[in-house]
Amino acid sequence: MPRKRDDKPLYDYNIYRILPEKAESFKSFLEDRRFEEIPLKPECIQNPSGYTFTLMFCDKDNRKGSPWVNLLSTCTEWDLSQELKIYGAALICYREDSCFVVSYGNAHFYVSDYCDFNFGVAVAERLIDLDQVRAQQNISHGSKLSKMHMDYLGGTVLSYRSGEIPTYIRGTSLDPELWGTTINCGTSAQFKWEEKPTEIGEKLNLLNEIIKADSSISLPRLTFLDVEEDAEKIESLYHQLAVAIEQYDGAANDGNLINVPSFYMMGTRLIQNDSVRFKLSCNHKSLEFDGELSITAINEFVREKEFALQEVIQKINISIEYANDAWTNRKPITEYLEFITEDNFCLRNGKWCSFNIAYLDRIFQEAKRVAFINHSQDEFALSKDDVIQFARENGFYDETNSRQPYETFYNQNISQLIGAICLHPRTVPVDPEGNGRYRYEVCDFCKDQTLYFVKIGKPNDFAYAIDQAMLTLEKCEAGMGSLTLPGDLAVFPTEFRMVLIFDGRANMVEKWEDVFSINFLIHLTELKRRLSSTDISLTIDFVYW
């Protein structure tokens, strides 16, 4: 129903932006779902500004009825089930240089694979008074935190702290006469206009010009895709992830920020190291591995068990051995995989999200607050040959083993050189009062009140060290600044140092963009934010093999 303002009817518009070249395929997509093109009255089309209007309408039967109605029917004397109509419409407003879709009913379920996910925030940057925000939702880019802010009396300034991203904004329009009093911005932009659907050409033309123009404000954007509304887009993203895993080449991906799958194990309540065993399973088939979860292990599992990865990517589970032949519950590997596509989608915490360039800029800006040191001549700059020689001299280098625990060698060698206590690979229970199923490594070695966390590999492997430090920080916070190390040694940490060893890289990092891993930088900035509320400092030590 139209709403009134000053006795004039106002109509609701839920507008998505899609690429003009996708307009025809979107129409065909709707036709495959029993949407029909409905002829429009030519005399109703006013001031189109070059746009052509195509109305796709659907009123198909829903013979299954509503799930809750069917459920209640099983326990009532009456049969409550009924045949329903599902209504939806999409007004495709096409011009050679731009295309918008006005969604009605359930049509928004079908637009996600075609729309610009950053359109809503672009509208907010340009058309909303960000000092008069009525509602906003923020999520943390380093965790699963989500917060909703409401202002019921008037408006308040848009706000988000370090590590937070605004995902929904409802605010006062900068030009109420043109755009309406209030605008809602998420993936789409929602307006209330006086014009009828075939009369909005001029507004769309102006909206297109405004969106293309530079904005004085750039908001970071990270939006979770809806598992129902965006199901087909999510399916295509999993397909893209599977292809990237199949074609993964660690050496070739050293200089790429995108299309590089990696792992982050926070949330499993365990830390893997080179002494741990894990099991991959799918469809009643499993395979055990030593060491850390890797892309190579996934490909080996799929190849040996003769799976088509693109068909089973969401069905592969991981479990970790925590005692002799005792394993943790299975978890989907997709909960710990991280992946960024070239068209600004990412897999984080098991969910697909879209983001904008401002989101990346914000991460790089926050990373600049973290100090790093390049080591080339001091004790930390031990080479692979150095640690192999150390292992041989101390009698624990196995000449017959093709997979050597180089991190163990490095940790023991550097600990001896600087007079530190080596803790790697000893683990302690996450919950001392529990059954010991979930264990973690407090740190790799420590000296005085400084804890060191070591990782050897590619940039996308370094998140393991962040994971380890994050869980240790949680335990330190729970202990009011105190931490108990293996052997009942109590410490009060004053510094975390991440010793990150690039395997196969010679050129040194000069700025954070040189690390080539957005996933690592996301978690690094989250760790820095968490440490900023404590008395613990953070330093990154880079070593090159």
Side-chain angles (χ1 to χ4, degrees):
M1 292 290 291
R3 303 187 183 185
K4 293 186 177 182
R5 183 185 69 187
D6 299 330
D7 296 326
K8 295 180 181 180
L10 295 177
Y11 303 95
D12 292 325
Y13 287 94
N14 184 23
I15 300 178
Y16 293 84
R17 184 190 189 198
I18 69 174
L19 294 175
E21 55 268 29
K22 289 187 175 183
E24 195 60 38
S25 60
F26 175 59
K27 179 184 174 184
S28 299
F29 180 79
L30 293 178
E31 289 173 339
D32 291 341
R33 280 143 188 82
R34 296 171 60 186
F35 279 70
E36 298 178 276
E37 182 177 350
I38 306 299
L40 297 170
K41 297 177 182 179
E43 64 272 17
C44 291
I45 300 176
Q46 300 180 22
N47 304 316
S49 295
Y51 287 96
T52 59
F53 298 94
T54 303
L55 179 62
M56 304 298 295
F57 180 78
C58 176
D59 62 347
K60 64 183 179 182
D61 293 331
N62 176 17
R63 299 188 181 279
K64 294 182 180 179
S66 299
W68 64 269
V69 172
N70 296 333
L71 174 63
L72 292 176
S73 293
T74 63
C75 54
T76 60
E77 295 290 346
W78 292 1
D79 181 9
L80 302 178
S81 61
Q82 53 188 300
E83 290 188 6
L84 303 174
K85 290 282 188 178
I86 296 180
Y87 291 99
L91 182 65
I92 303 173
C93 312
Y94 171 82
R95 198 172 68 186
E96 188 173 333
D97 65 331
S98 73
C99 186
F100 297 94
V101 173
V102 183
S103 171
Y104 299 91
N106 73 339
H108 61 278
F109 282 96
Y110 304 111
V111 74
S112 66
D113 207 24
Y114 300 86
C115 70
D116 173 5
F117 278 79
N118 294 310
F119 170 63
V121 74
V123 171
E125 290 168 346
R126 293 160 174 82
L127 300 184
I128 287 182
D129 183 352
L130 298 180
D131 291 331
Q132 293 293 320
V133 172
R134 304 290 184 87
Q136 69 174 97
Q137 185 174 28
N138 294 349
I139 64 169
S140 170
H141 68 205
S143 68
K144 299 180 181 179
L145 175 67
S146 177
K147 297 192 299 186
M148 189 73 182
H149 305 269
M150 305 289 291
D151 190 302
Y152 295 99
L153 299 178
T156 188
V157 176
L158 177 72
S159 62
Y160 49 93
R161 67 181 185 179
S162 173
E164 289 186 351
I165 307 296
T167 59
Y168 167 81
I169 302 170
R170 180 174 185 265
T172 302
S173 169
L174 288 170
D175 189 344
E177 290 300 318
L178 180 59
W179 302 111
T181 304
T182 303
I183 304 174
N184 297 332
C185 296
T187 301
S188 63
Q190 299 174 7
F191 303 89
K192 298 185 188 301
W193 292 338
E194 297 175 4
E195 293 83 357
K196 291 185 178 181
T198 53
E199 301 171 355
I200 63 174
E202 287 186 343
K203 271 195 165 63
L204 295 181
N205 179 57
L206 183 56
L207 184 60
N208 183 56
E209 292 178 359
I210 290 173
I211 293 302
K212 287 184 176 180
D214 292 337
S215 171
S216 60
I217 299 172
S218 185
L219 299 175
R221 173 77 162 170
L222 185 69
T223 306
F224 288 109
L225 273 61
D226 187 275
V227 292
E228 294 182 356
E229 294 185 18
D230 307 319
E232 299 206 18
K233 181 63 179 180
I234 290 173
E235 191 68 29
S236 70
L237 290 168
Y238 273 122
H239 173 81
Q240 192 171 341
L241 170 64
V243 171
I245 292 175
E246 290 173 334
Q247 300 176 354
Y248 178 75
D249 182 341
N253 287 321
D254 274 354
N256 292 335
L257 283 169
I258 59 173
N259 292 336
V260 182
S262 60
F263 291 99
Y264 184 70
M265 299 298 288
M266 192 65 186
T268 61
R269 286 302 181 242
L270 52 91
I271 297 296
Q272 290 187 274
N273 58 40
D274 52 16
S275 301
V276 169
R277 296 173 68 213
F278 67 93
K279 179 192 302 182
L280 296 179
S281 60
C282 178
N283 295 344
H284 308 292
K285 297 180 180 180
S286 63
L287 189 63
E288 296 179 12
F289 297 86
D290 293 321
E292 296 170 345
L293 178 62
S294 66
I295 303 301
T296 301
I298 293 178
N299 281 324
E300 181 180 340
F301 169 70
V302 170
R303 183 171 55 252
E304 181 164 325
K305 301 304 177 182
E306 299 182 338
F307 288 124
L309 183 59
Q310 297 175 31
E311 297 177 3
V312 300
I313 182 64
Q314 299 181 63
K315 300 177 182 178
I316 300 176
N317 296 301
I318 181 174
S319 53
I320 311 296
E321 186 180 44
Y322 65 90
N324 189 23
D325 205 30
W327 302 81
T328 62
N329 294 331
R330 293 177 297 171
K331 294 283 188 178
I333 59 167
T334 51
E335 290 190 13
Y336 313 115
L337 266 168
E338 297 200 334
F339 186 64
I340 293 178
T341 72
E342 59 188 6
D343 53 348
N344 291 4
F345 288 92
C346 61
L347 178 63
R348 304 212 52 247
N349 297 320
K351 295 183 179 181
W352 287 100
C353 317
S354 69
F355 63 91
N356 64 357
I357 298 302
Y359 171 68
L360 298 183
D361 291 340
R362 182 175 175 84
I363 291 171
F364 288 133
Q365 192 63 35
E366 292 184 0
K368 291 177 181 177
R369 303 176 183 175
V370 183
F372 66 84
I373 302 171
N374 286 312
H375 295 275
S376 60
Q377 302 295 328
D378 57 15
E379 298 98 331
F380 285 91
L382 291 169
S383 67
K384 182 181 289 188
D385 289 338
D386 290 335
V387 300
I388 290 175
Q389 182 64 29
F390 171 80
R392 283 177 172 150
E393 291 175 355
N394 286 272
F396 50 80
Y397 186 84
D398 185 357
E399 301 286 352
T400 64
N401 189 356
S402 60
R403 183 190 173 113
Q404 299 290 344
Y406 293 112
E407 284 183 17
T408 298
F409 300 164
Y410 181 89
N411 285 314
Q412 293 187 3
N413 195 348
I414 188 66
S415 296
Q416 187 178 103
L417 287 174
I418 68 173
I421 301 173
C422 184
L423 301 174
H424 179 91
R426 286 183 286 172
T427 60
V428 297
V430 171
D431 180 7
E433 306 299 325
N435 57 14
R437 175 176 297 186
Y438 299 109
R439 305 178 66 85
Y440 78 108
E441 226 175 24
V442 178
C443 64
D444 290 286
F445 58 92
C446 69
K447 181 180 180 181
D448 301 326
Q449 306 302 313
T450 299
L451 305 186
Y452 293 84
F453 305 85
V454 177
K455 177 58 52 212
I456 302 173
K458 305 296 182 183
N460 51 30
D461 298 318
F462 293 160
Y464 278 111
I466 302 294
D467 185 354
Q468 184 181 6
M470 196 78 80
L471 189 52
T472 297
L473 175 60
E474 287 184 11
K475 296 304 175 184
C476 190
E477 291 173 331
M480 303 297 289
S482 175
L483 201 63
T484 301
L485 304 179
D488 293 327
L489 176 64
V491 296
F492 291 85
T494 58
E495 183 179 19
F496 280 8
R497 294 188 66 165
M498 322 296 294
V499 182
L500 307 178
I501 305 173
F502 288 94
D503 191 6
R505 172 170 175 162
N507 58 311
M508 293 188 175
V509 172
E510 296 182 3
K511 56 185 184 302
W512 281 113
E513 288 87 338
D514 297 339
V515 174
F516 297 121
S517 175
I518 296 297
N519 287 327
F520 166 70
L521 293 178
I522 287 172
H523 300 299
L524 175 66
T525 55
E526 173 66 8
L527 176 61
K528 175 64 175 177
R529 185 186 67 80
R530 291 276 304 276
L531 286 171
S532 64
S533 61
T534 71
D535 294 326
I536 303 174
S537 62
L538 175 65
T539 302
I540 310 300
D541 298 278
F542 288 129
V543 179
Y544 303 86
W545 278 13

